[in-house]
Amino acid sequence: MERNVEKMLNRVSVVFISIGTVLMVIMILQTPKTCISPEAPSKPHTHFPRSTCDSTPRQHLPLPKKNARLWSSKAWKSRLSSFSNYFLRFRDLGLLQNHTKALCLSAGAGHAPMALSNIGLSDVTAVELVDSIPLVKRADPHNLPFFDGVFDFAFTAHLAEALFPWRFVEEMERTVRRGGFCVVAVDECSGDDVRDIARLFHNSKVVDVANVTLEGSKRTSILFKVQDSPT
């Protein structure tokens, strides 16, 4: 009796395995219903992805065209205008001139360096952990690949995101010449918060603090003048 039951179960298993194998083969060979012929009329919901089985490679824009599209966007122009207006203040103070060598740290996609170039600076360098060619080069702001005192002006709007703020500031000061300027834009603050930030700058003196609007947010701009390094 048990032997008959065992034979029956084996036969049932073989039948199910056979059915499963056949179904799998059919699924592999059958063209998916989601495939859309390239000649099919265009519909809004099929623009992307065109189909799940379309082997035609998607077009990749060359970098110049990709940048042109990005830089012509409304969002980019708005942020660029904000930075340009911000830097004009320093130009009016005589701190930025056409020959000023400027450095932007943690420059993101490059709004700040483009704004500096747009107001007339011819020598602007920008760094970020991820590059955005041609505006921003890849470099660690905590370990800058520049000689001491090679810049006249350094700026960052991302000191708060620095992994080691003291090291970030140390590199900022090191690469700016004596008598040059460091500028940080932080979330709006005053009093003790400003003093805490100023303590990070061991070789610089605060010369100006102002509340500004940058990228649509209320920020506090702190201007430092680099002094002689302690001996």
Side-chain angles (χ1 to χ4, degrees), residues 77-87 115 213-216:
K77 289 181 177 179
S78 176
R79 296 183 68 182
L80 180 63
S81 175
S82 179
F83 274 102
S84 296
N85 291 333
Y86 174 72
F87 288 129
T213 299
L214 185 61
E215 300 180 274

Side-chain angles (χ1 to χ4, degrees), residues 126-167:
V127 298
E128 179 60 275
L129 292 175
V130 178
D131 59 12
S132 294
I133 303 298
L135 297 173
V136 182
K137 299 178 181 178
R138 183 172 61 183
D140 183 358
H142 298 85
N143 187 26
L144 295 172
F146 308 117
F147 291 116
D148 297 354
V150 294
F151 297 103
D152 305 305
F153 182 94
F155 166 79
T156 186
H158 298 284
L159 177 60
E161 290 90 43
L163 186 60
F164 302 106
W166 61 270
R167 177 62 179 172

